């Protein structure tokens, strides 16, 4: 009589990595921006795929240091092939982001196919048209015979 082989229980698969969340729980200073970018990099490398969530509920009254930190965090996430999402942004911060044009850029996904530093990480356009009454750089006006003198 053949002896039945014992079946090994299936090994449980490891739990999926948790999403990356960076919590800003106090006002941000310019001196802290580099450290925050390092924290975001470490979180993004350990976490699952997708954008990094930046919880800005604790930053207090938003100022230029907060805007600089968020822009630099976005660039850091872009270099890692990730985007960022803001969570708990107060109305004042949302208005300041909209006024500076960073609102859409900070919540947009990372730009695939654009190398880091290409200008697309913050939604910047590399070209454009000169504003009214402003000469475009590198353009010289030609003078046609018969044109009146300026």
């Amino acid at each position: 009589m053949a002896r039945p082989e014992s079946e090994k229980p299936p090994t449980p698969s490891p739990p999926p990595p948790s999403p990356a969340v960076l919590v800003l729980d106090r006002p941000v200073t310019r001196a802290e921006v580099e450290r925050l970018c390092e924290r975001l990099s470490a979180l993004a490398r350990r976490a699952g795929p997708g954008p990094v969530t930046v919880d800005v509920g604790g930053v207090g009254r938003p100022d230029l240091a907060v805007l600089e930190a968020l822009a630099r965090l976005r660039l850091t996430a872009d270099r890692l092939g990730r985007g960022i999402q803001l969570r708990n942004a107060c109305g004042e911060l949302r208005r300041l982001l909209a006024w500076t044009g960073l609102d859409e850029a900070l919540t947009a996904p990372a730009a695939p196919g654009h190398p880091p530093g290409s200008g697309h990480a913050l939604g910047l356009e590399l070209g454009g048209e000169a504003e009214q009454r402003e000469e475009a750089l590198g353009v010289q006006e030609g003078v046609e015979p018969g044109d009146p003198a300026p």
Side-chain angles (χ1 to χ4, degrees):
M1 200 174 196
R3 210 167 137 198
E5 290 185 34
S6 64
E7 289 186 26
K8 293 182 184 177
T11 57
S13 60
S18 59
V21 179
L22 176 64
V23 178
L24 305 181
D25 56 358
R26 63 177 195 256
V28 176
T29 65
R30 295 184 81 195
E32 295 174 300
V33 173
E34 187 173 339
R35 182 183 57 80
L36 290 173
C37 290
E38 290 169 0
R39 281 182 50 202
L40 183 133
S41 293
L43 279 170
R45 287 186 178 106
R46 287 191 312 257
V52 177
T53 299
V54 179
D55 187 330
V56 293
V59 297
R61 186 178 177 121
D63 57 11
L64 290 177
V66 172
L67 290 180
E68 178 181 355
L70 293 175
R72 296 261 313 270
L73 288 170
R74 172 65 169 107
L75 289 171
T76 300
D78 189 49
R79 287 185 185 108
L80 297 169
R82 314 281 288 264
I84 68 169
Q85 294 177 330
L86 299 182
R87 182 168 67 189
N88 295 326
C90 67
E92 189 176 1
L93 177 58
R94 287 194 309 266
R95 284 188 297 276
L96 190 56
L97 290 169
W99 183 72
T100 59
L102 291 174
D103 56 339
E104 291 179 21
L106 287 173
T107 57
H114 293 294
S118 67
H120 289 83
L122 283 174
L124 300 175
E125 292 184 18
L126 298 179
E129 294 185 24
E131 292 190 20
Q132 186 177 7
R133 294 184 305 218
E134 185 177 310
E135 283 190 39
L137 296 176
V139 175
Q140 294 182 354
E141 244 181 78
V143 179
E144 295 290 324
D147 279 351

